[in-house]
Amino acid sequence: MVHPGHGDSTSLGAAPRNATIQDVADAAGVSRAAVSKVIRNAYGVSPQMRSKVEAAIAQLSYRPRVAARAMRGPSHTLGIEIAQVSNEFLTMIVRGALETLVGTPYQLVVAPVTAPHETGNALQSLADRQVDGIIAISPMVGEAWLEALSDRIPVVIIGRHDVSTHYDTVAGADRSGTDQVMAHLFDLGHSRITHLTIDNAREHILVDDPTDWQRSGREPHAIRHTVYTEQMRRRGLEPEVLYTGGDELEAQSSAAELLARREPPTAIFAGNDTLAMGALRAVAEAGLGPADVSVVGYDDITMASHPLVSLTSVDQSGTRIGAEAVRLLLERIAGRTESVQVEEQVHLRVRGSTAPAPHRGTTTE
Amino acid sequence: MVHPGHGDSTSLGAAPRNATIQDVADAAGVSRAAVSKVIRNAYGVSPQMRSKVEAAIAQLSYRPRVAARAMRGPSHTLGIEIAQVSNEFLTMIVRGALETLVGTPYQLVVAPVTAPHETGNALQSLADRQVDGIIAISPMVGEAWLEALSDRIPVVIIGRHDVSTHYDTVAGADRSGTDQVMAHLFDLGHSRITHLTIDNAREHILVDDPTDWQRSGREPHAIRHTVYTEQMRRRGLEPEVLYTGGDELEAQSSAAELLARREPPTAIFAGNDTLAMGALRAVAEAGLGPADVSVVGYDDITMASHPLVSLTSVDQSGTRIGAEAVRLLLERIAGRTESVQVEEQVHLRVRGSTAPAPHRGTTTE
DNA sequence: ATGAAAGCGCTAACAA
DNA sequence: TTGTTAGCGCTTTCAT
């Protein structure tokens, strides 16, 4: 009658280990299977059985162990890989994901990436955890790698514009966003425009094989970079790109150095808002303002709309993107097999950080 | 020889399920135990055994299932409960925790709390997940509840100044911080100072029993509120508290309404920086500046130091607090049994958002 | 409608 | 040093 291994623990006042399904079954005088059915709301339980069991559950304050359940079926855990926890846009994505998960039985485990080449490890550790699905934010691994991963487990990639039959993608319209930025700056009369972008934009993709290089153009910062260059050339202007770390303070010092040059730009187009905020720091501390150098960001984080900051930026709602990613993942888990690509519209929010290009050479001095 | 249930799957080209420890054992021609020892770096494996097994592991690209391991021992998962994902200070704590976990086998699952009374559920869902430890950020549950939880699983509470024998705490010196704020404002000549704090500061603790009310004074916002009131009374001034939602935009509209009153305050002491940023929005949009109304925040989030914002705030490093919490948790897991309370020093960072109180009644009109 | 029993993949005694 | 075996707590056929 007694489950083997449970012995007669009545003897010593042993540490009252958490109740198991067997304990509940014993207390209610039914089988484990019966209890299992009750807690899963499965078909085929009589009302009296149900109430007996529920009483025992309450009395023992029994809680099913998630790990044990995960051995048979889903772990009810989703994983999210995130490169830079200090980037507000990225945390907005996480927030959107978290909010969408409220009310579902799913929880989210966060796998931060310390260095680009560690991305694979982060994703792998999520896979080891038997998560039911993975959200990867602009992961810096090759497509073949992702294909292999998504072959075993549902994956949605945020940011990259890949077209895979295995995984889904959610991305902002980076070409359009960048076009809007450049058009705006050109309208304002700027011609000396520097693009401030993150250091590893060039090596954003960890290649599996050399041909993979060609695909690197699908990473958001790479696209913004490319479109910026195209637009400049189209106007007969010389593109100028400044690489920096992904951190606000690093961006600040890069920008400060830029402004100290003999012929500083009249506008800075930052690859994301974190970099833009850093650029804004540099501008302010150089005693300059929008009339001297315009700054445009990308992402439209919360701070961009703050009246004291008023950063012109491309709005791509991080929370919406995160929410969408979760939705796609849940669909996949529910059985969808065809892959889907979502491209979110983006809009330039014009604010006070951009102004007409200063006249040049009008006055002597 | 063959493990029961594994049958002779050589027949059909069945979906190549992930390799198990048994598959590795078979491939290497050794026992499961041997493989287990190898992957755990346990004592007692000969070099040739090790290399044979490792070859098989590589060949099958075998990965141990975390869930299966968690059934016997630790899950190598830590949980963190967080009330407001949109509050940058709170996400800094998460970041600090994440960073400290790098290089350890632990991962973090995030349990967001949607409403104060849902806190218990969030914590419970972490416990169900068999996490090895829980970090709770100013959880709004009674002490008895926490005691019960920490009785079964290591817990460290961030923010609250409880003294428990069961769980550890990490908190900033809220009395000291608030004292510094008030002294600064008094020094500047302010007397009409409004305290802007979050709505549920009053009901921050979900009481188990009525006497628990007395303990609510241990929650950070409650302490700041209390000290503010004490300080005002000590100077013979009438405290004025304005309650608002925890969100920046809600704080903005509350502050806007405050500024529209007949006799608006000359200074606003916000309970945290998110509220302060909202207040700053209201001030700026009313066409006012520090000369009209000073704003002080609490937490010193990244934005506070931005030259365009320049918010005077109490510095309590979120990342350091998060890191400390993880450290304590890991210690507990490693065996420590006595509880420890850490109180972090805090420092007021005086910046441009505070200025001398405007003269009053000097000029008519 | 209910229960018996066989696993899920892994670890940890205990033998050999 | 290596292998055997008994579970960990739960779900799930398959009988009854």
Side-chain angles (χ1 to χ4, degrees), chain B residues 31-342:
Chain B
S31 73
R32 295 208 307 277
V35 179
S36 177
K37 281 180 178 172
V38 169
I39 61 183
R40 285 177 298 124
N41 279 311
Y43 178 78
V45 271
S46 65
Q48 60 268 39
M49 163 73 86
R50 169 173 298 279
S51 57
K52 256 196 310 188
V53 170
E54 279 171 345
I57 287 177
Q59 203 248 312
L60 298 173
S61 55
Y62 161 77
R63 313 268 345 185
R65 234 72 95 233
V66 171
R69 286 181 149 181
M71 289 222 49
R72 314 293 279 114
S75 63
H76 290 297
T77 309
L78 262 28
I80 189 165
E81 169 267 329
I82 176 174
Q84 227 198 121
V85 195
S86 63
N87 183 315
E88 197 194 319
F89 177 64
L90 303 189
T91 64
M92 284 175 81
I93 292 175
V94 176
R95 193 182 341 150
L98 246 17
E99 282 166 358
T100 312
L101 252 21
V102 168
T104 74
Y106 290 90
Q107 290 206 291
L108 198 64
V109 9
V110 179
V113 173
T114 48
H117 64 274
E118 294 285 353
T119 306
N121 293 334
L123 292 171
Q124 186 61 257
S125 67
L126 289 175
D128 291 347
R129 224 149 254 274
Q130 299 275 98
V131 295
D132 298 334
I134 292 178
I135 296 174
I137 307 179
S138 299
M140 302 173 201
V141 293
E143 291 193 18
W145 205 98
L146 289 176
E147 294 276 339
L149 177 67
S150 54
D151 203 41
R152 302 207 149 289
I153 167 180
V155 169
V156 15
I157 307 288
I158 289 179
R160 283 171 55 159
H161 295 248
D162 301 359
V163 182
S164 164
T165 48
H166 290 62
Y167 53 83
D168 304 327
T169 62
V170 183
D174 289 295
R175 295 200 77 90
S176 157
T178 308
D179 281 340
Q180 292 177 54
V181 168
M182 297 309 288
H184 174 58
L185 290 177
F186 289 144
D187 281 354
L188 289 172
H190 290 277
S191 56
R192 287 191 60 87
I193 307 169
T194 296
H195 180 44
L196 183 65
T197 187
I198 52 177
D199 224 331
N200 43 20
R202 289 158 299 178
E203 36 161 344
H204 232 154
I205 305 291
L206 206 63
V207 293
D208 296 316
D209 69 279
T211 62
D212 235 24
W213 261 117
Q214 305 160 10
R215 303 174 190 161
S216 71
R218 291 179 178 155
E219 191 278 331
H221 285 271
I223 296 175
R224 294 167 201 170
H225 180 222
T226 303
V227 175
Y228 157 80
T229 306
E230 287 172 9
Q231 290 282 7
M232 288 295 276
R233 292 250 162 81
R234 184 164 306 160
R235 301 262 171 163
L237 300 171
E238 193 53 37
E240 175 162 26
V241 179
L242 181 60
Y243 296 95
T244 186
D247 178 275
E248 183 170 328
L249 266 17
E250 287 182 72
Q252 172 179 15
S253 59
S254 296
E257 179 205 301
L258 179 66
L259 295 174
R261 291 185 188 170
R262 273 197 307 272
E263 279 204 75
T266 62
I268 298 176
F269 164 36
N272 66 233
D273 278 356
T274 300
L275 302 182
M277 293 301 295
L280 244 23
R281 280 187 188 243
V283 171
E285 295 206 322
L288 305 173
D292 309 296
V293 32
S294 291
V295 175
V296 184
Y298 206 110
D299 290 342
D300 198 37
I301 62 178
T302 309
M303 269 311 109
S305 70
H306 197 290
L308 294 177
V309 173
S310 194
L311 172 66
T312 295
S313 186
V314 178
D315 181 1
Q316 52 172 350
S317 165
T319 50
R320 191 161 16 102
I321 288 178
E324 186 65 31
V326 164
R327 218 166 292 130
L328 291 178
L329 214 42
L330 260 24
E331 278 180 29
R332 278 270 186 187
I333 293 171
R336 173 165 57 72
T337 53
E338 335 78 66
S339 79
V340 355
Q341 278 73 44
V342 175

Side-chain angles (χ1 to χ4, degrees), chain A residues 176-198:
Chain A
S176 156
T178 308
D179 281 340
Q180 293 177 53
V181 167
M182 298 309 288
H184 174 57
L185 291 176
F186 289 144
D187 281 353
L188 289 172
H190 291 277
S191 55
R192 289 191 59 86
I193 306 170
T194 297
H195 181 43
L196 182 65
T197 188
I198 53 178

Side-chain angles (χ1 to χ4, degrees), chain A residues 17-337:
Chain A
R17 58 161 177 37
N18 289 323
T20 73
I21 200 173
Q22 179 68 53
D23 297 329
V24 175
D26 292 348
V30 301
S31 73
R32 295 210 307 277
V35 179
S36 178
K37 282 182 178 170
V38 170
I39 62 183
R40 286 177 298 123
N41 279 311
Y43 178 77
V45 271
S46 64
Q48 60 267 38
M49 161 74 85
R50 170 173 296 280
S51 57
K52 257 196 310 187
V53 170
E54 281 173 344
I57 287 177
Q59 203 247 314
L60 297 173
S61 54
Y62 162 77
R63 314 267 346 185
R65 235 71 95 231
V66 171
R69 287 183 149 179
M71 290 222 48
R72 312 293 280 119
S75 63
H76 289 297
T77 309
L78 263 28
I80 189 164
E81 170 266 331
I82 175 174
Q84 227 200 119
V85 195
S86 62
N87 182 314
E88 196 194 321
F89 177 64
L90 303 189
T91 64
M92 283 176 83
I93 293 175
V94 176
R95 193 182 341 151
L98 245 17
E99 283 166 358
T100 312
L101 252 23
V102 168
T104 75
Y106 290 89
Q107 291 207 289
L108 198 65
V109 10
V110 179
V113 173
T114 48
H117 63 273
E118 294 286 352
T119 305
N121 293 333
L123 291 171
Q124 186 59 258
S125 68
L126 289 175
D128 291 346
R129 223 148 256 274
Q130 298 275 101
V131 295
D132 298 333
I134 291 179
I135 296 173
I137 306 178
S138 297
M140 302 174 201
V141 294
E143 291 192 19
W145 205 98
L146 288 176
E147 294 277 340
L149 177 66
S150 53
D151 203 41
R152 301 208 149 290
I153 167 180
V155 170
V156 15
I157 308 288
I158 289 178
R160 283 170 56 160
H161 296 247
D162 301 0
V163 182
S164 163
T165 48
H166 289 62
Y167 53 84
D168 304 327
T169 61
V170 182
D174 289 294
R175 296 200 78 90
S176 156
T178 308
D179 281 340
Q180 293 177 53
V181 167
M182 298 309 288
H184 174 57
L185 291 176
F186 289 144
D187 281 353
L188 289 172
H190 291 277
S191 55
R192 289 191 59 86
I193 306 170
T194 297
H195 181 43
L196 182 65
T197 188
I198 53 178
D199 224 327
N200 41 20
R202 290 158 299 178
E203 36 162 346
H204 233 154
I205 304 291
L206 204 64
V207 293
D208 297 317
D209 68 278
T211 62
D212 235 23
W213 261 118
Q214 304 160 8
R215 304 174 188 160
S216 72
R218 292 181 178 155
E219 191 277 333
H221 286 271
I223 296 175
R224 294 167 201 170
H225 180 223
T226 303
V227 176
Y228 156 82
T229 306
E230 287 172 8
Q231 291 282 7
M232 289 295 277
R233 294 248 161 80
R234 184 163 308 160
R235 301 263 171 162
L237 301 171
E238 193 53 38
E240 174 161 27
V241 179
L242 181 59
Y243 296 94
T244 185
D247 179 273
E248 183 171 329
L249 266 17
E250 287 183 73
Q252 172 179 15
S253 59
S254 297
E257 179 205 299
L258 178 67
L259 295 174
R261 291 185 189 171
R262 274 197 307 271
E263 278 204 76
T266 63
I268 297 175
F269 165 37
N272 66 233
D273 279 355
T274 300
L275 302 181
M277 292 301 295
L280 244 21
R281 280 185 188 247
V283 171
E285 295 202 326
L288 304 173
D292 308 296
V293 33
S294 291
V295 175
V296 184
Y298 206 110
D299 290 344
D300 197 37
I301 62 179
T302 310
M303 269 312 108
S305 70
H306 197 289
L308 293 176
V309 174
S310 194
L311 172 68
T312 295
S313 185
V314 178
D315 180 1
Q316 52 172 352
S317 166
T319 52
R320 192 162 15 105
I321 288 178
E324 186 65 31
V326 164
R327 217 166 294 130
L328 291 178
L329 213 43
L330 260 22
E331 278 180 28
R332 277 270 186 189
I333 292 172
R336 174 165 57 72
T337 53

